[in-house]
Amino acid sequence: MREETPYNPLDKVHLGESVANAILRRPVEPLPPPEAFLGAGVYAIYYTGDFPAYRKISERNRENRFEWPIYVGKAIPAGARRGGFGLNVSPGRALFGRLNEHGQSVEQAGNIDRSDFFCRYLVVDDIWIPLGEALLIQMFSPVWNTTLDGYGNHDPGRGRYNQQRSPWDVVHPGREWAMRCAENARTSDSILEDIETAIIATF
């Protein structure tokens, strides 16, 4: 006799799926969105360009399909990062600001074009943001989350430039602060081999 698990709509996984599905129903906009907005939440970034390593991802997104994000992230209020998570923390323009930073990163990279990037975003109540992000990463295994680390990094600041340049900055060089960091021990070709393997496994 089979044992069936009762469906619980309030199970945290199902609640996370609700957030993830809500963002996938949102309209696609350029990266960053043209108009500023208030709120914190989750976002998915899509690539449609010709960079060879991402060909299979681009194919899933061209012709307005936008089926496969290259990166998923979250933006939480600044106060939440200091431990005031969820209660009476004004989000300000946290989500728009994060998307704007991502737009600047691809703008500064020398071998990808910002006009090939698009995004979906969803303003979400604070408590559901990490769960929504985690579910989206689990659903799509975006290559800039799972394999090519560093896209979401910030300038480490003076005194910390002795740390290695991230793999993302090795493959897509150009961010001014990243070029001040120490060279990564790995070459771009070596990292691109990992990306190719990951994308083959995903698709």
Side-chain angles (χ1 to χ4, degrees), residues 3 36 44 71 143 189 197:
E3 184 175 343
Y71 185 76
V143 71
D189 287 345
T197 300

Side-chain angles (χ1 to χ4, degrees), residues 5-56:
T5 302
Y7 179 78
N8 178 2
L10 298 182
D11 181 276
K12 65 180 180 182
V13 173
H14 296 146
L15 292 171
E17 288 172 348
S18 173
V19 174
N21 290 331
I23 188 175
L24 296 177
R25 291 194 294 270
R26 294 276 299 167
V28 173
E29 298 192 36
L31 179 72
E35 187 174 358
F37 57 89
L38 295 173
V42 293
Y43 56 88
I45 294 176
Y46 298 85
Y47 179 65
T48 63
D50 296 324
F51 194 80
Y54 309 138
R55 179 178 59 82
K56 287 185 178 296

Side-chain angles (χ1 to χ4, degrees), residues 164 183-187:
Q164 278 195 358
E183 286 199 19
N184 194 298
R186 299 190 63 192
T187 66

Side-chain angles (χ1 to χ4, degrees), residues 74-120:
K74 67 177 182 296
I76 58 178
R81 290 196 294 270
R82 294 193 296 269
F85 197 83
L87 297 175
N88 301 320
V89 177
S90 172
R93 301 198 308 178
L95 183 50
F96 175 77
R98 191 69 174 134
L99 290 169
N100 199 41
E101 288 176 0
H102 285 317
Q104 291 175 8
S105 288
V106 295
E107 182 79 42
Q108 292 169 28
N111 54 10
I112 46 180
D113 193 322
R114 186 169 61 85
S115 64
D116 294 325
F117 286 85
F118 298 83
C119 66
R120 283 187 171 105

